[in-house]
Amino acid sequence: MNEDVKILDGGLATELEADGFQIQGDPLWSARILQSNPQAIIDVHSRYLCSGADIITTATYQATVEGFMKHLELNVQQAVEVIQSGVTLAKKAVEKFSLSCKSKGRRPPQVAGSIGPYGVFLHDGSEYNGNYVDTITLEELKAWHRHQMQCLVTAGVDIIAMETIPSQKEAEALVGLLREFPNTKAWLSFSCKDERLTCHGEPFEEAVKLSAKSEQLVAIGINCSSPELISPLLTSAERSKHPSIDWIVYPNSGESWDVNSGWQVCSSKRSLASLAMEWKQMGATWIGGCCRITPSDIKELYNALRKPKLTDV
């Protein structure tokens, strides 16, 4: 059995939209559903678990105390509770799955606490270029992320997912902040704009050198970028990654996001599952999907990497 690869879930917001929720244009993205319809979050987590995911990621990518205070008119304590509810809901989905017959022969699922970039709060598209780091200090970035990381750690996540990070500077801030929680493990994944550079423009191979600066990082890599960029990026940074740390890759579908008109259809494509076999050969041991990747894609990925194959979900 090829169990050396951990399978991640796919796009949570993608599934919520398929269920009829209006996510695009919402300054809280899928995090609003934590308060308005928590059962819907559990249902999406459950679909990914039944499709083969070993790790599900909380609906907290865009969940911040400041954001909830501004857009939901909550006080600090109420906002903290909503953030932590993201962990509770994921754990409920895991518990439900673990008691079902579908869990037979599967590794125990884990919950990853999602932390997105500062730019998601700004709601101006800057998370796709990271330009805000040019006018904010490392300490200010750490201060911004501290409350969210504290909430997730306190709620008992198995691992922190510092994801879709567009710049080396914000990654440095997050890795530095992680040291304040010495018993916590994390992965760090960048968003990249081409085959060599992060979205903010730093060489990916330089950004990957951060892997040598933390004993708490278990994986480093790329997410929410086109799948066609993954192999060239891994190749470019092969010598920069610390040998004790794994590659993690979970791209989007290859479609691009436009702040005004939403997702732009792409013409690609090789399937996630076929590309994953290539990434596995390159040393990736954490593989999944991001935006526009569905449970059916994760099931296909599972069936390519594991045996016996899953029956219909």
Side-chain angles (χ1 to χ4, degrees), residues 1-310:
M1 189 184 294
N2 292 326
E3 293 237 49
D4 50 332
V5 174
K6 298 176 183 68
I7 297 175
L8 313 180
D9 58 9
L12 191 141
T14 301
E15 281 299 287
L16 288 171
E17 287 183 322
D19 289 343
F21 293 94
Q22 179 60 44
I23 302 295
Q24 291 189 27
D26 192 320
L28 294 176
W29 201 244
S30 55
R32 183 182 295 275
I33 315 302
L34 287 170
Q35 186 197 50
S36 66
N37 196 329
Q39 184 59 47
I41 301 290
I42 295 175
D43 291 345
V44 172
H45 286 322
S46 296
R47 292 204 287 271
Y48 279 116
L49 288 167
C50 290
S51 298
D54 299 314
I55 299 167
I56 54 171
T57 307
T58 60
T60 55
Y61 174 78
Q62 212 144 325
T64 63
V65 169
E66 293 82 357
F68 285 150
M69 291 176 69
K70 179 177 180 180
H71 299 292
L72 295 181
E73 299 183 352
L74 304 181
N75 61 36
V76 172
Q77 183 55 39
Q78 290 170 329
V80 166
E81 290 171 0
V82 175
I83 294 172
Q84 293 183 327
S85 76
V87 182
T88 302
L89 297 176
K91 287 186 171 185
K92 284 183 178 179
V94 167
E95 182 180 6
K96 176 184 174 184
F97 174 76
S98 298
L99 293 173
S100 74
C101 61
K102 293 181 182 294
S103 66
K104 186 177 180 180
R106 295 272 301 276
R107 63 175 63 180
Q110 292 185 299
V111 173
S114 174
I115 294 179
Y118 171 67
V120 298
F121 170 73
L122 301 177
H123 193 53
D124 59 1
S126 59
E127 71 267 32
Y128 299 108
N129 55 46
N131 289 344
Y132 52 85
V133 301
D134 298 333
T135 56
I136 191 170
T137 67
L138 276 172
E139 288 305 314
E140 287 171 330
L141 285 166
K142 286 169 68 175
W144 168 261
H145 287 294
R146 185 173 286 112
H147 217 159
Q148 187 184 26
M149 191 176 290
Q150 177 70 69
C151 287
L152 295 172
V153 170
T154 301
V157 292
D158 297 303
I159 190 169
I160 292 290
M162 305 181 293
E163 54 183 359
T164 325
I165 306 305
S167 69
Q168 185 172 339
K169 183 175 180 179
E170 188 161 15
E172 288 175 359
L174 283 162
V175 169
L177 177 61
L178 186 62
R179 296 190 190 102
E180 298 179 16
F181 306 91
N183 297 320
T184 300
K185 299 295 185 183
W187 78 63
L188 172 63
S189 57
F190 293 89
S191 57
C192 296
K193 63 181 179 180
D194 59 29
E195 298 178 350
R196 196 176 63 86
L197 302 174
T198 68
C199 283
H200 187 248
E202 299 90 8
F204 179 64
E205 65 175 315
E206 290 299 315
V208 165
K209 288 179 181 177
L210 280 170
S211 65
K213 296 184 178 181
S214 174
E215 295 181 356
Q216 294 170 256
L217 285 181
V218 298
I220 194 165
I222 311 121
N223 80 291
C224 211
S225 302
S226 170
E228 304 299 330
L229 301 180
I230 301 297
S231 293
L233 284 163
L234 294 184
T235 300
S236 75
E238 185 177 3
R239 296 181 180 178
S240 298
K241 181 178 70 66
H242 193 275
S244 67
I245 294 179
D246 297 328
W247 281 129
I248 183 168
V249 294
Y250 52 117
N252 57 35
S253 63
E255 297 164 79
S256 59
W257 172 260
D258 182 275
V259 251
N260 298 312
S261 54
W263 289 102
Q264 307 300 299
V265 177
C266 69
S267 60
S268 72
K269 80 190 200 182
R270 291 172 58 189
S271 69
L272 176 66
S274 66
L275 286 165
M277 300 306 290
E278 180 178 307
W279 302 331
K280 181 175 181 286
Q281 290 299 316
M282 299 180 74
T285 56
W286 304 61
I287 302 177
C290 198
C291 299
R292 312 290 278 182
I293 297 298
T294 67
S296 62
D297 294 314
I298 298 304
K299 179 184 175 185
E300 185 182 359
L301 175 64
Y302 181 98
N303 286 339
L305 294 170
R306 301 272 178 83
K307 298 192 183 302
K309 295 185 178 183
L310 291 176

